[in-house]
Amino acid sequence: MTVQRGRPRLLFARNFFANPRGVGSVIPSSRRLTQRMMAAVDWTTARTIVEYGPGTGVVTRAVLARMAPEARLFAFETNSEFVAYLQRSIADPRLTVIDGSAETVAAVLAAAGLASCDAAVSSLPFSIMPTRVRLRIVAATAAVLVPGAPFVGYQYSTRWVRELRRAFDHVTVRFEPRNWPPAFVFVARREG
Ligand SMILES: C[S@@+](CC[C@H](N)C(=O)[O-])C[C@H]1O[C@@H](n2cnc3c(N)ncnc32)[C@H](O)[C@@H]1O
C-alpha cells in the first residue's frame, strides 16, 4: 500500500463547510474511534469488505492495514473531491473507489461478480441524512452482508437506531468519548 498524505485535514474541513450535512463532521475520525470500529471485524475471514463514506481515507487506511492480501475493499464516496483524493493518494490494488452512493452497493458488488460481502464499515452521517436514503442504505446492507457479518459505523445521535434494529437481528451501541465530537459506535448483524 502506497500512501501520500497531502493535506487531507484541510481538504476535509473545506468540504465540510461547503456541505456540512453531506460530510457530517469537521475533522476526520480519531484513531480510537477507528480502532473501535476495526475491532468488530474478523480480519482472518473477511474477503469482501465495503466501506461507506471514506472521505480522505482515515478508515480506509485502517481497513487496508488489517485486511488479507487476497481481500477486496469497495469504498463508496459521493463527494468527487474526496474520490479524486483517494484515487491519487492510496495506491493499493485491493481498493476500488466507487464514485457513488452506498445505496448502489448490491449493483456494484454484482458487477464485480460478487453476491455478498463479509463486512460493511460506515462513516456515513446517518442521523442527518434524508430518511429515505438512510433506509435504502440500511436495507441494501442487510441484504448483501452474509449472515453473522458485521455492519459497523459511528454516529453522534442514536435517534435512528430503531431503523437498524428493524433490519438486523442483533444491534449493539457503545459510546466512544475519545473522538471529536464524541460518538456512538454501532455493530449490527443478521442471523442466518
Ligand atoms: C463524517 S465523513 C467520514 C470521513 C472519514 N471516513 C472519517 O471517518 O473521517 C462522511 C463521508 O460520507 C460521505 N457520504 C455522505 N453520503 C454518502 C452516501 N450516500 N454514500 C457514500 N458516501 C456518502 C461524505 O461525502 C463524507 O465523505
PDB file of all heavy atoms in Angstrom, residues 111-140:
ATOM      1  N   ALA A 111     -21.792  -6.340 -10.224  1.00  0.00           N
ATOM      2  CA  ALA A 111     -20.989  -6.052 -11.422  1.00  0.00           C
ATOM      3  C   ALA A 111     -19.573  -6.620 -11.286  1.00  0.00           C
ATOM      4  O   ALA A 111     -18.917  -6.922 -12.276  1.00  0.00           O
ATOM      5  CB  ALA A 111     -20.934  -4.547 -11.657  1.00  0.00           C
ATOM      6  N   ALA A 112     -19.114  -6.787 -10.035  1.00  0.00           N
ATOM      7  CA  ALA A 112     -17.790  -7.369  -9.795  1.00  0.00           C
ATOM      8  C   ALA A 112     -17.877  -8.892  -9.643  1.00  0.00           C
ATOM      9  O   ALA A 112     -16.891  -9.545  -9.297  1.00  0.00           O
ATOM     10  CB  ALA A 112     -17.177  -6.751  -8.548  1.00  0.00           C
ATOM     11  N   GLY A 113     -19.072  -9.444  -9.861  1.00  0.00           N
ATOM     12  CA  GLY A 113     -19.259 -10.891  -9.776  1.00  0.00           C
ATOM     13  C   GLY A 113     -19.424 -11.383  -8.356  1.00  0.00           C
ATOM     14  O   GLY A 113     -19.205 -12.566  -8.065  1.00  0.00           O
ATOM     15  N   LEU A 114     -19.825 -10.482  -7.448  1.00  0.00           N
ATOM     16  CA  LEU A 114     -19.944 -10.851  -6.030  1.00  0.00           C
ATOM     17  C   LEU A 114     -21.402 -10.720  -5.583  1.00  0.00           C
ATOM     18  O   LEU A 114     -22.058  -9.713  -5.861  1.00  0.00           O
ATOM     19  CB  LEU A 114     -19.065  -9.932  -5.181  1.00  0.00           C
ATOM     20  CG  LEU A 114     -17.562 -10.016  -5.492  1.00  0.00           C
ATOM     21  CD1 LEU A 114     -16.823  -8.799  -4.948  1.00  0.00           C
ATOM     22  CD2 LEU A 114     -16.977 -11.299  -4.913  1.00  0.00           C
ATOM     23  N   ALA A 115     -21.890 -11.723  -4.868  1.00  0.00           N
ATOM     24  CA  ALA A 115     -23.284 -11.703  -4.418  1.00  0.00           C
ATOM     25  C   ALA A 115     -23.419 -11.152  -3.008  1.00  0.00           C
ATOM     26  O   ALA A 115     -24.504 -10.767  -2.578  1.00  0.00           O
ATOM     27  CB  ALA A 115     -23.855 -13.112  -4.484  1.00  0.00           C
ATOM     28  N   SER A 116     -22.311 -11.128  -2.266  1.00  0.00           N
ATOM     29  CA  SER A 116     -22.401 -10.739  -0.855  1.00  0.00           C
ATOM     30  C   SER A 116     -21.072 -10.164  -0.385  1.00  0.00           C
ATOM     31  O   SER A 116     -20.079 -10.189  -1.116  1.00  0.00           O
ATOM     32  CB  SER A 116     -22.759 -11.968  -0.015  1.00  0.00           C
ATOM     33  OG  SER A 116     -21.740 -12.937  -0.154  1.00  0.00           O
ATOM     34  N   CYS A 117     -21.070  -9.671   0.861  1.00  0.00           N
ATOM     35  CA  CYS A 117     -19.806  -9.185   1.425  1.00  0.00           C
ATOM     36  C   CYS A 117     -19.712  -9.631   2.892  1.00  0.00           C
ATOM     37  O   CYS A 117     -20.701 -10.052   3.499  1.00  0.00           O
ATOM     38  CB  CYS A 117     -19.673  -7.676   1.277  1.00  0.00           C
ATOM     39  SG  CYS A 117     -20.896  -6.734   2.158  1.00  0.00           S
ATOM     40  N   ASP A 118     -18.496  -9.543   3.445  1.00  0.00           N
ATOM     41  CA  ASP A 118     -18.203 -10.093   4.776  1.00  0.00           C
ATOM     42  C   ASP A 118     -18.123  -9.033   5.865  1.00  0.00           C
ATOM     43  O   ASP A 118     -18.003  -9.372   7.055  1.00  0.00           O
ATOM     44  CB  ASP A 118     -16.870 -10.858   4.726  1.00  0.00           C
ATOM     45  CG  ASP A 118     -16.864 -11.895   3.624  1.00  0.00           C
ATOM     46  OD1 ASP A 118     -17.804 -12.715   3.596  1.00  0.00           O
ATOM     47  OD2 ASP A 118     -15.960 -11.863   2.767  1.00  0.00           O
ATOM     48  N   ALA A 119     -18.152  -7.760   5.475  1.00  0.00           N
ATOM     49  CA  ALA A 119     -18.156  -6.668   6.458  1.00  0.00           C
ATOM     50  C   ALA A 119     -18.534  -5.379   5.747  1.00  0.00           C
ATOM     51  O   ALA A 119     -18.166  -5.169   4.589  1.00  0.00           O
ATOM     52  CB  ALA A 119     -16.790  -6.508   7.117  1.00  0.00           C
ATOM     53  N   ALA A 120     -19.280  -4.525   6.460  1.00  0.00           N
ATOM     54  CA  ALA A 120     -19.593  -3.182   5.954  1.00  0.00           C
ATOM     55  C   ALA A 120     -19.184  -2.195   7.029  1.00  0.00           C
ATOM     56  O   ALA A 120     -19.586  -2.328   8.192  1.00  0.00           O
ATOM     57  CB  ALA A 120     -21.085  -3.053   5.643  1.00  0.00           C
ATOM     58  N   VAL A 121     -18.347  -1.241   6.653  1.00  0.00           N
ATOM     59  CA  VAL A 121     -17.790  -0.270   7.600  1.00  0.00           C
ATOM     60  C   VAL A 121     -18.265   1.111   7.158  1.00  0.00           C
ATOM     61  O   VAL A 121     -17.978   1.540   6.052  1.00  0.00           O
ATOM     62  CB  VAL A 121     -16.246  -0.344   7.587  1.00  0.00           C
ATOM     63  CG1 VAL A 121     -15.663   0.664   8.558  1.00  0.00           C
ATOM     64  CG2 VAL A 121     -15.761  -1.758   7.911  1.00  0.00           C
ATOM     65  N   SER A 122     -18.995   1.789   8.027  1.00  0.00           N
ATOM     66  CA  SER A 122     -19.626   3.052   7.627  1.00  0.00           C
ATOM     67  C   SER A 122     -19.159   4.245   8.453  1.00  0.00           C
ATOM     68  O   SER A 122     -19.041   4.152   9.673  1.00  0.00           O
ATOM     69  CB  SER A 122     -21.146   2.930   7.782  1.00  0.00           C
ATOM     70  OG  SER A 122     -21.750   4.194   7.626  1.00  0.00           O
ATOM     71  N   SER A 123     -18.927   5.351   7.752  1.00  0.00           N
ATOM     72  CA  SER A 123     -18.722   6.641   8.427  1.00  0.00           C
ATOM     73  C   SER A 123     -19.812   7.612   7.986  1.00  0.00           C
ATOM     74  O   SER A 123     -19.650   8.823   8.113  1.00  0.00           O
ATOM     75  CB  SER A 123     -17.359   7.231   8.041  1.00  0.00           C
ATOM     76  OG  SER A 123     -16.310   6.339   8.254  1.00  0.00           O
ATOM     77  N   LEU A 124     -20.887   7.096   7.420  1.00  0.00           N
ATOM     78  CA  LEU A 124     -21.934   7.975   6.867  1.00  0.00           C
ATOM     79  C   LEU A 124     -22.627   8.772   7.968  1.00  0.00           C
ATOM     80  O   LEU A 124     -22.862   8.249   9.060  1.00  0.00           O
ATOM     81  CB  LEU A 124     -22.986   7.132   6.133  1.00  0.00           C
ATOM     82  CG  LEU A 124     -22.521   6.404   4.879  1.00  0.00           C
ATOM     83  CD1 LEU A 124     -23.668   5.594   4.289  1.00  0.00           C
ATOM     84  CD2 LEU A 124     -21.980   7.380   3.849  1.00  0.00           C
ATOM     85  N   PRO A 125     -23.007  10.015   7.655  1.00  0.00           N
ATOM     86  CA  PRO A 125     -23.744  10.818   8.647  1.00  0.00           C
ATOM     87  C   PRO A 125     -25.224  10.444   8.663  1.00  0.00           C
ATOM     88  O   PRO A 125     -26.098  11.232   8.301  1.00  0.00           O
ATOM     89  CB  PRO A 125     -23.512  12.255   8.152  1.00  0.00           C
ATOM     90  CG  PRO A 125     -23.263  12.133   6.686  1.00  0.00           C
ATOM     91  CD  PRO A 125     -22.680  10.775   6.433  1.00  0.00           C
ATOM     92  N   PHE A 126     -25.516   9.199   9.078  1.00  0.00           N
ATOM     93  CA  PHE A 126     -26.883   8.665   9.009  1.00  0.00           C
ATOM     94  C   PHE A 126     -27.910   9.541   9.713  1.00  0.00           C
ATOM     95  O   PHE A 126     -29.019   9.700   9.235  1.00  0.00           O
ATOM     96  CB  PHE A 126     -26.936   7.270   9.639  1.00  0.00           C
ATOM     97  CG  PHE A 126     -26.517   6.165   8.717  1.00  0.00           C
ATOM     98  CD1 PHE A 126     -25.546   5.254   9.094  1.00  0.00           C
ATOM     99  CD2 PHE A 126     -27.123   6.001   7.471  1.00  0.00           C
ATOM    100  CE1 PHE A 126     -25.174   4.213   8.257  1.00  0.00           C
ATOM    101  CE2 PHE A 126     -26.750   4.956   6.622  1.00  0.00           C
ATOM    102  CZ  PHE A 126     -25.772   4.074   7.027  1.00  0.00           C
ATOM    103  N   SER A 127     -27.519  10.082  10.888  1.00  0.00           N
ATOM    104  CA  SER A 127     -28.545  10.772  11.680  1.00  0.00           C
ATOM    105  C   SER A 127     -28.990  12.089  11.056  1.00  0.00           C
ATOM    106  O   SER A 127     -30.037  12.617  11.431  1.00  0.00           O
ATOM    107  CB  SER A 127     -28.084  10.969  13.123  1.00  0.00           C
ATOM    108  OG  SER A 127     -26.807  11.530  13.148  1.00  0.00           O
ATOM    109  N   ILE A 128     -28.223  12.609  10.084  1.00  0.00           N
ATOM    110  CA  ILE A 128     -28.645  13.870   9.458  1.00  0.00           C
ATOM    111  C   ILE A 128     -28.926  13.717   7.965  1.00  0.00           C
ATOM    112  O   ILE A 128     -29.203  14.704   7.292  1.00  0.00           O
ATOM    113  CB  ILE A 128     -27.611  15.000   9.694  1.00  0.00           C
ATOM    114  CG1 ILE A 128     -26.211  14.573   9.239  1.00  0.00           C
ATOM    115  CG2 ILE A 128     -27.617  15.455  11.145  1.00  0.00           C
ATOM    116  CD1 ILE A 128     -25.189  15.724   9.274  1.00  0.00           C
ATOM    117  N   MET A 129     -28.865  12.513   7.451  1.00  0.00           N
ATOM    118  CA  MET A 129     -29.148  12.349   6.007  1.00  0.00           C
ATOM    119  C   MET A 129     -30.645  12.114   5.793  1.00  0.00           C
ATOM    120  O   MET A 129     -31.371  11.768   6.741  1.00  0.00           O
ATOM    121  CB  MET A 129     -28.302  11.233   5.386  1.00  0.00           C
ATOM    122  CG  MET A 129     -28.669   9.845   5.752  1.00  0.00           C
ATOM    123  SD  MET A 129     -27.832   8.556   4.757  1.00  0.00           S
ATOM    124  CE  MET A 129     -26.180   9.107   4.523  1.00  0.00           C
ATOM    125  N   PRO A 130     -31.157  12.331   4.559  1.00  0.00           N
ATOM    126  CA  PRO A 130     -32.586  12.108   4.324  1.00  0.00           C
ATOM    127  C   PRO A 130     -32.997  10.679   4.711  1.00  0.00           C
ATOM    128  O   PRO A 130     -32.285   9.716   4.410  1.00  0.00           O
ATOM    129  CB  PRO A 130     -32.719  12.334   2.811  1.00  0.00           C
ATOM    130  CG  PRO A 130     -31.557  13.189   2.442  1.00  0.00           C
ATOM    131  CD  PRO A 130     -30.444  12.805   3.374  1.00  0.00           C
ATOM    132  N   THR A 131     -34.152  10.557   5.370  1.00  0.00           N
ATOM    133  CA  THR A 131     -34.600   9.247   5.872  1.00  0.00           C
ATOM    134  C   THR A 131     -34.676   8.208   4.755  1.00  0.00           C
ATOM    135  O   THR A 131     -34.262   7.062   4.926  1.00  0.00           O
ATOM    136  CB  THR A 131     -35.985   9.394   6.543  1.00  0.00           C
ATOM    137  OG1 THR A 131     -35.863  10.374   7.564  1.00  0.00           O
ATOM    138  CG2 THR A 131     -36.454   8.092   7.154  1.00  0.00           C
ATOM    139  N   ARG A 132     -35.185   8.618   3.587  1.00  0.00           N
ATOM    140  CA  ARG A 132     -35.351   7.630   2.508  1.00  0.00           C
ATOM    141  C   ARG A 132     -33.997   7.070   2.058  1.00  0.00           C
ATOM    142  O   ARG A 132     -33.867   5.892   1.746  1.00  0.00           O
ATOM    143  CB  ARG A 132     -36.138   8.218   1.331  1.00  0.00           C
ATOM    144  CG  ARG A 132     -35.437   9.293   0.599  1.00  0.00           C
ATOM    145  CD  ARG A 132     -36.225   9.894  -0.561  1.00  0.00           C
ATOM    146  NE  ARG A 132     -35.356  10.750  -1.350  1.00  0.00           N
ATOM    147  CZ  ARG A 132     -34.867  11.917  -0.944  1.00  0.00           C
ATOM    148  NH1 ARG A 132     -35.168  12.395   0.246  1.00  0.00           N
ATOM    149  NH2 ARG A 132     -34.066  12.628  -1.730  1.00  0.00           N
ATOM    150  N   VAL A 133     -32.955   7.928   2.050  1.00  0.00           N
ATOM    151  CA  VAL A 133     -31.608   7.471   1.650  1.00  0.00           C
ATOM    152  C   VAL A 133     -31.065   6.518   2.717  1.00  0.00           C
ATOM    153  O   VAL A 133     -30.542   5.442   2.414  1.00  0.00           O
ATOM    154  CB  VAL A 133     -30.655   8.672   1.445  1.00  0.00           C
ATOM    155  CG1 VAL A 133     -29.245   8.191   1.109  1.00  0.00           C
ATOM    156  CG2 VAL A 133     -31.185   9.604   0.367  1.00  0.00           C
ATOM    157  N   ARG A 134     -31.228   6.912   3.977  1.00  0.00           N
ATOM    158  CA  ARG A 134     -30.749   6.065   5.092  1.00  0.00           C
ATOM    159  C   ARG A 134     -31.424   4.691   5.054  1.00  0.00           C
ATOM    160  O   ARG A 134     -30.757   3.656   5.171  1.00  0.00           O
ATOM    161  CB  ARG A 134     -31.039   6.775   6.406  1.00  0.00           C
ATOM    162  CG  ARG A 134     -30.556   6.015   7.618  1.00  0.00           C
ATOM    163  CD  ARG A 134     -30.703   6.845   8.865  1.00  0.00           C
ATOM    164  NE  ARG A 134     -32.101   7.101   9.196  1.00  0.00           N
ATOM    165  CZ  ARG A 134     -32.607   8.299   9.461  1.00  0.00           C
ATOM    166  NH1 ARG A 134     -31.843   9.363   9.424  1.00  0.00           N
ATOM    167  NH2 ARG A 134     -33.882   8.445   9.749  1.00  0.00           N
ATOM    168  N   LEU A 135     -32.742   4.669   4.858  1.00  0.00           N
ATOM    169  CA  LEU A 135     -33.467   3.394   4.839  1.00  0.00           C
ATOM    170  C   LEU A 135     -33.001   2.515   3.682  1.00  0.00           C
ATOM    171  O   LEU A 135     -32.869   1.296   3.821  1.00  0.00           O
ATOM    172  CB  LEU A 135     -34.975   3.640   4.744  1.00  0.00           C
ATOM    173  CG  LEU A 135     -35.627   4.195   6.018  1.00  0.00           C
ATOM    174  CD1 LEU A 135     -37.091   4.565   5.755  1.00  0.00           C
ATOM    175  CD2 LEU A 135     -35.527   3.199   7.169  1.00  0.00           C
ATOM    176  N   ARG A 136     -32.735   3.148   2.535  1.00  0.00           N
ATOM    177  CA  ARG A 136     -32.260   2.370   1.378  1.00  0.00           C
ATOM    178  C   ARG A 136     -30.892   1.759   1.668  1.00  0.00           C
ATOM    179  O   ARG A 136     -30.633   0.604   1.328  1.00  0.00           O
ATOM    180  CB  ARG A 136     -32.173   3.258   0.129  1.00  0.00           C
ATOM    181  CG  ARG A 136     -33.494   3.421  -0.597  1.00  0.00           C
ATOM    182  CD  ARG A 136     -33.298   3.791  -2.055  1.00  0.00           C
ATOM    183  NE  ARG A 136     -32.776   5.131  -2.223  1.00  0.00           N
ATOM    184  CZ  ARG A 136     -33.524   6.203  -2.467  1.00  0.00           C
ATOM    185  NH1 ARG A 136     -34.828   6.091  -2.569  1.00  0.00           N
ATOM    186  NH2 ARG A 136     -32.972   7.383  -2.623  1.00  0.00           N
ATOM    187  N   ILE A 137     -30.001   2.526   2.306  1.00  0.00           N
ATOM    188  CA  ILE A 137     -28.651   2.014   2.591  1.00  0.00           C
ATOM    189  C   ILE A 137     -28.711   0.905   3.640  1.00  0.00           C
ATOM    190  O   ILE A 137     -28.057  -0.137   3.492  1.00  0.00           O
ATOM    191  CB  ILE A 137     -27.720   3.161   3.043  1.00  0.00           C
ATOM    192  CG1 ILE A 137     -27.527   4.161   1.898  1.00  0.00           C
ATOM    193  CG2 ILE A 137     -26.362   2.610   3.508  1.00  0.00           C
ATOM    194  CD1 ILE A 137     -26.813   5.446   2.284  1.00  0.00           C
ATOM    195  N   VAL A 138     -29.517   1.090   4.672  1.00  0.00           N
ATOM    196  CA  VAL A 138     -29.631   0.060   5.719  1.00  0.00           C
ATOM    197  C   VAL A 138     -30.185  -1.238   5.110  1.00  0.00           C
ATOM    198  O   VAL A 138     -29.653  -2.333   5.345  1.00  0.00           O
ATOM    199  CB  VAL A 138     -30.514   0.561   6.886  1.00  0.00           C
ATOM    200  CG1 VAL A 138     -30.878  -0.573   7.837  1.00  0.00           C
ATOM    201  CG2 VAL A 138     -29.793   1.681   7.650  1.00  0.00           C
ATOM    202  N   ALA A 139     -31.235  -1.126   4.283  1.00  0.00           N
ATOM    203  CA  ALA A 139     -31.842  -2.326   3.680  1.00  0.00           C
ATOM    204  C   ALA A 139     -30.862  -2.999   2.719  1.00  0.00           C
ATOM    205  O   ALA A 139     -30.720  -4.234   2.721  1.00  0.00           O
ATOM    206  CB  ALA A 139     -33.128  -1.945   2.950  1.00  0.00           C
ATOM    207  N   ALA A 140     -30.176  -2.209   1.908  1.00  0.00           N
ATOM    208  CA  ALA A 140     -29.235  -2.785   0.936  1.00  0.00           C
ATOM    209  C   ALA A 140     -28.092  -3.487   1.667  1.00  0.00           C
ATOM    210  O   ALA A 140     -27.641  -4.565   1.249  1.00  0.00           O
ATOM    211  CB  ALA A 140     -28.685  -1.685   0.030  1.00  0.00           C
TER     212      ALA A 140
END
